[in-house]
Structure formats: C-alpha cells, structure tokens
Amino acid sequence: MPAVDDRPVVFFTTSNFPDVIGRPNGHTSRTRGLMRGCADLGGALHVIWLRNRAATELSGPQVEQMIRTQWGIDCTVHCWDLQWPAGRSFLHYFVWPLLAGIRRHPEFPFLSADTQGQVRRCLEALHPRLVVAQMYQAFMIHQALGRRDTVICDYNDIEHLVYQRKVSTMSGWGPRWIKRLQIPLRTRLDRDLMRQADLTLVCAEGDREYLRRRFGPLPLAVVPNALPDAAQGRIFPEGRHGLLFVGDLRYPPNLDALVHYAQDVHPQLAALGCRTLLKVVGPGQELVPASVRQQEDIQICGFVDSLDPYYQDAQVVICPIRVGGGTRVKLIEAAAYGKAIVSTRMGAEGLAFEQDRSILLADAPAQFAAALVRCLKDPALRGGLGQSARALFMSKFDERVQRAAFVEAVSALEARPANERG
C-alpha cells in the first residue's frame, strides 16, 4: 500500500476575497469547491492570497477566519499585495508582450522583487505536495518565481474566447480594432500557460475538446462548476407567478443580458397575451438604466439574504446571456431548486442541459419570448423541465461531484512519472 503524502497543499490565488466570501456568484462557488477539494487530499491547506489593495482592506487573518467560519475549511492564509504595470503605450500593449512571453502582460498584476522573494521563501518552507493556481494570473505569477512545484492551473474560463466575445460586442471602430490586435497575444498566452502547467482544469468537456483541437495534446481534466445543494430538498417546481433573473449586475455580461431582455424580449410577452412580472435579484442595482428600472413589469430587488422565497415564487428562471464564458452557476442553482429554465445557448454553454427535456433554449428575441410564453402557459411542461433539471444537478453539478472529480484528477496526475507531466 503506497504511503500517504501528507505534505501541505497550497492554493495560490489572486481572488478578491470580500466578494468571494460575502456574495454568491460563479467565482465564489468554484473557489469554495476547489479549496474543499484541496482539503479532501489530506495534509494542511495553505492559501497564498495575492491581494488587490485597491479592492479590499481585509487582512490575511480576517480572510482566514471567514473561510473557516463560513466555508468550514481549515486553512492558513498568507497574504501579499499585488502591483500593476504603469503606462499604456502601443509598445506597452503589443511589442513588449511579444518579447516578454508569459512572465508579464501589460494588463495583468505581478509582485515586486522583494515580495517575490518572500513568497518564494514561504513556498520553500512549506515544500508543498501540490500548488493549485486559481486562474491564469496566479499561475503566471507562480511561474515567474522560478520554482519547480507540481502545479495545477484552474481555467474557469477560456480567457482568449471570453476576450474575443467581449471585443465583438464593443462599439466604435477604433477601440474594437485596437482590442482585436490583442486576441492573438491572449491566445498565445493561454497556449503557453497550459503547456507549462502539469495539469489544467477546465469546467466542461466542450472546453477540453476545443483546447485540444486548437492547441494539440495538452494535460487537461474536467472539473465542473458546481454548488452545494442549497435547496436541501426544498425544491419549488411550481411557482406562483412570473420570471426570475439572478446575477451580479456589476459583471458586464449580466447587465448586458438584463438590458437586452428588458428592451427586446419582455415587451413581446404582453403582445403575445402573456404579460408577467420579472424579478431581478443580485447586487449592482444602481447600474441598471432608468429605462429598465421604470418598466412596471420589472422589479429590481438588489442583493438579498436568501434566494429561497424568490425561487419559490418564480415559475420560470431566465438566462438571456449573450457574451462571456465559462458555465453559468445561476443555471446550476436554478436546477438545484427544480425550476424550469429558459436560456440562450451561450447562457447554457458547457452544461449538459437537453433542449425540451431539462431546458428551453432560444437566442433571437422573438424565439426567447415564444419559449417563455410556451413555458408560462403549460404547467406540465414547467414541471417536467424542473424535474429533469433537478436530476441533472444531483448527477453532475452537486459540489460533491466536483470535489470527487478534482481528487480523481490529482490522483491521476500524481500516478504519472514526474518526467511525463506537463
């Protein structure tokens, strides 16, 4: 029987922990799930937190206490501050990245030389079994330290695809084309990082297939986005009225989705004889345009302490996302509550929902409105969609499934000889 490796595991992150701890979103759930997966490996868990001082004044001990009390994860947090490059010239954006490779990118944070030394000495003292670098920025910083740890890089989003989609929606010929020049650089950055990692985690099988088609053989493993079963059996397949949209409106794709829906889809419901109320839940309500807030059939609720009553009331959950990447935890959450869902195809990207079985998919505004009317007028359809979505959640998107996939991926990596990794 092989000896148990009880060396510490290091979770290396640039996360903004106030948002991660205090507000439920997709990044929160993945951070929590991966940290719990690290704890499942055994041995002590150490979190190296590279802090953005512009976003938070919380200290390492404060974040450590929140992780312990709110997430139930026993860990030690080590905290250092990030820095950002200065200047925004053509040379800075396009020439320097070509020469600098992955060690520095003009938009990405880094560590001062003194801080690099402190982090390097911390890692030397810990002698970790494994470093899990959350998101490519953390992995870039770790690589710049020049260490030879076994490193797993978590790619919640395929960054060059997210950036490409973002650029495609920008207005103005000049800004759009200037940004487009960066797409090849970001694509190369993703490729180089994934080739250097011992293993890269992605959140959907479609992401793995795309990356292997684009970049060739890569060490990749699928660890899905997931949630703990917040419903705890309190599923609400038949709501009393209306629609529900859940999302942090400070995240531009969510705000874009709401404005697009309010302007192009919601008015069509009345014309189709199905006027109904939409409740919008999530922080960032101050960013919603007056043209949306003033619609009498749309209620902006802001951040709420509990989503239970909103899911209980809603007949249908909507996800009219048009840009972005990754998988939508808002849909996973709706599935956990057994709700009928109507979404764009991009909104459901990377998830295993089946059209007309566990979800209704539509992209064009008229099609989206028609799908909503169909769902609102047919209680049997809503019940069937919600029941299938709930079953899908339990089989694929419960956090226990995510943690098991992470532990399996680590075990497979560690079973390979060191010279065959990366």
Side-chain angles (χ1 to χ4, degrees), residues 58-139:
L58 286 178
S59 66
Q62 287 173 313
V63 169
E64 180 180 311
Q65 181 65 19
M66 287 194 294
I67 293 173
R68 289 173 180 267
T69 58
Q70 296 186 33
W71 288 355
I73 300 172
D74 188 17
C75 69
T76 301
V77 174
H78 311 266
C79 178
W80 287 276
D81 290 335
L82 292 167
Q83 295 185 5
W84 271 260
R88 291 294 184 267
S89 65
F90 180 86
L91 177 70
H92 182 81
Y93 269 116
F94 304 115
V95 178
W96 190 32
L98 288 171
L99 301 176
I102 70 167
R103 286 180 176 265
R104 187 77 56 81
H105 188 283
E107 291 184 350
F108 302 153
F110 64 101
L111 302 179
S112 67
D114 181 58
T115 303
Q116 280 194 33
Q118 294 177 41
V119 176
R120 192 180 292 112
R121 288 191 290 274
C122 176
L123 287 167
E124 288 170 356
L126 291 173
H127 186 51
R129 164 187 177 182
L130 179 72
V131 173
V132 178
Q134 187 190 31
M135 301 175 63
Y136 65 105
Q137 295 176 354
F139 181 68

Side-chain angles (χ1 to χ4, degrees), residues 162-235:
V162 174
Y163 189 79
Q164 185 173 322
R165 290 169 180 174
K166 177 182 176 181
V167 171
S168 69
T169 63
M170 292 178 65
S171 60
W173 182 89
R176 183 170 66 250
W177 280 97
I178 289 173
K179 292 291 187 181
R180 285 190 69 172
L181 292 174
Q182 283 204 39
I183 293 173
L185 298 178
R186 289 174 179 261
T187 303
R188 192 191 74 167
L189 177 69
D190 283 347
R191 180 201 66 191
D192 291 349
L193 290 174
M194 292 179 188
R195 287 178 177 175
Q196 292 194 23
D198 293 290
L199 179 67
T200 297
L201 306 181
V202 294
C203 57
E205 184 59 42
D207 290 343
R208 177 161 62 179
E209 293 174 359
Y210 165 80
L211 290 169
R212 286 181 171 165
R213 287 197 309 268
R214 185 70 189 266
F215 298 145
L218 288 170
L220 301 170
V222 177
V223 175
N225 278 338
L227 290 171
D229 186 5
Q232 296 289 321
R234 304 185 309 278
I235 59 174

